[in-house]
Amino acid sequence: MRNLGLNSLALCLLFILLTVHALAEDNLKQALVITIDGLRPDAINQDSAPTLKKLISAGSYSASAKTVDPPYTLPSHMSLVTGLKPENHGTYINTWIPQIGYTKHETIFTVANKHGINTSMFVGKDKLNFIAVPGSIDKLEVIEYSPDSVETITESFIKDIDENIGIILVHFPEPDIPGHKKGWMSPTYLDAVKRVDTEIGKIIGTLKSKDLY
């Protein structure tokens, strides 16, 4: 995960944690976090991201914020779900070693679990198992990367939305992988952005049809 324009991870997590507590107090149990691996902010300005443009126009955003250092998938997501910098959560490598186990830090999922809120993860890289602390995730699907894994992630989310609505993390592995293989802002990269943007549109459409948006 390089060349990213992400909201401040610590501030984002603070908002999410406050949201989790507020949801519990109000007896509401719905929040969705979507991460787009390797997304450059200038890619959104192309014709490949109409859904993201609509979200930007209707919400809050930053095109200049940066992710943590090192800017890799696992350290970045660790900071996202814990609110800690890499020097505090200690995750610098970009791989999951099953023998080591899982993070020992509090996450948005462990907090939600304590409040009785359902949690689920639909992710496109198995390294994110590291943040799925046993007992904190009610539904975990790790979709092995393939040419149609982006669509499969959306299908898995939609299939389980009625049973597992709660604190949900959806992670798309593209356009990061095409970016590394074919070059950032290459036609292949921008096509991957467009595919992910289309899938996010499907997610939003599903939430609206179920009166969950």
Side-chain angles (χ1 to χ4, degrees), residues 14 22 45 51 62-63 66-67 69 85 89 98 104 125 127 155 169 171 174 200:
L14 175 61
N45 295 327
T51 302
S62 171
K66 297 181 179 180
T67 188
D69 186 21
K85 296 179 180 180
H89 62 58
K104 306 302 181 184
K125 292 183 177 179
K127 64 187 69 180
E155 292 170 1
L169 171 64
H171 162 263
E174 296 192 8
I200 293 177

Side-chain angles (χ1 to χ4, degrees), residues 118-191:
N118 285 341
T119 59
S120 53
M121 290 174 52
F122 303 89
V123 301
K125 292 183 177 179
D126 63 3
K127 64 187 69 180
L128 295 181
N129 273 298
F130 185 62
I131 64 176
V133 179
S136 71
I137 304 294
D138 296 300
K139 177 71 174 184
L140 172 63
E141 287 201 24
V142 181
I143 289 83
E144 184 178 353
Y145 184 74
S146 69
D148 61 353
S149 59
V150 167
E151 290 78 11
T152 303
I153 290 169
T154 303
E155 292 170 1
S156 298
F157 169 86
I158 292 175
K159 177 182 177 181
D160 292 306
I161 190 62
D162 291 322
E163 297 181 4
N164 293 288
I165 186 67
I167 305 300
I168 305 172
L169 171 64
V170 175
H171 162 263
F172 289 107
E174 296 192 8
D176 183 64
I177 294 175
H180 283 293
K181 290 183 176 180
K182 299 296 184 178
W184 308 99
M185 301 302 286
S186 66
T188 303
Y189 173 88
L190 292 176
D191 180 66

